[in-house]
Amino acid sequence: DAMVIQNPRYQVTQFGKPVTLSCSQTLNHNVMYWYQQKSSQAPKLLFHYYDKDFNNEADTPDNFQSRRPNTSFCFLDIRSPGLGDAAMYLCATSRVRGMGTDTQYFGPGTRLTVL
Amino acid sequence: AQTVTQSQPEMSVQEAETVTLSCTYDTSESDYYLFWYKQPPSRQMILVIRQEAYKQQNATENRFSVNFQKAAKSFSLKISDSQLGDAAMYFCAYRRSGTYKYIFGTGTRLKVLA
């Protein structure tokens, strides 16, 4: 089945130790998103790619970076995780349709714990 | 800036009964899309229903329907014949036409009582 896959599902890192979360998709969608979701809160968009074009949200900290080497994969790098970065990180994809995009499809998320 | 507000942090419904979740939004745009997403505990977020602002007819998907009031900027979700599997966080979301960015509300946790 076509889907959005996130690895790992659970990630534990130490304060200040770089960590990379990965997302892959078999949907061949142009747009990929990274969201941060803290407990009982709305998903907060960090950035998105339209193909190779990177779009950073104005309030996304510099500590967060992303790479999209090809259509299928997208990575979230947290250079120096702080305690406040502990959250669920959601990857989503959507297909360009007309002047916007079709529905978003979400992965299961990676829960990041920072010790 | 566009905002999405869900004023009910938590709702409960008896199995087989009907429940309505509220969502209001603020935008100066006339062309946009509205969505309800469901996020079950420890499971991924999935689309429940979608509404195009230019369509007057309310969207329906089986037991799920919306009441879209464009002038009032209101977009409520009605779940009929509630089932235990409907228990989840429900997020209302907005996307302006021609953009890729979705704006989410803070969510409503729905509990279904047996």
Side-chain angles (χ1 to χ4, degrees), chain B residues 31-75:
Chain B
D31 194 7
Y32 49 87
Y33 298 84
L34 297 165
F35 307 83
W36 279 99
Y37 282 90
K38 171 186 178 181
Q39 188 177 38
S42 302
R43 296 182 64 185
Q44 65 201 80
M45 194 165 331
I46 57 173
L47 179 70
V48 175
I49 201 164
R50 155 193 170 125
Q51 174 81 43
E52 290 91 342
Y54 63 85
K55 289 187 176 179
Q56 292 187 337
Q57 187 173 7
N58 289 326
T60 62
E61 286 288 343
N62 301 313
R63 296 183 296 108
F64 298 87
S65 61
V66 298
N67 183 4
F68 173 47
Q69 301 288 328
K70 191 171 184 178
K73 297 180 183 175
S74 170
F75 182 61

Side-chain angles (χ1 to χ4, degrees), chain B residues 8 11 13 17-23 36 48-49 58-68 75-82 86 90 110:
Chain B
Q8 305 154 317
M11 294 280 285
V13 62
E17 296 294 309
T18 296
V19 65
T20 298
L21 308 185
S22 301
C23 173
W36 279 99
V48 175
I49 201 164
N58 289 326
T60 62
E61 286 288 343
N62 301 313
R63 296 183 296 108
F64 298 87
S65 61
V66 298
N67 183 4
F68 173 47
F75 182 61
S76 61
L77 174 69
K78 185 172 84 170
I79 307 174
S80 304
D81 186 24
S82 296
D86 295 333
Y90 286 81
L110 179 65

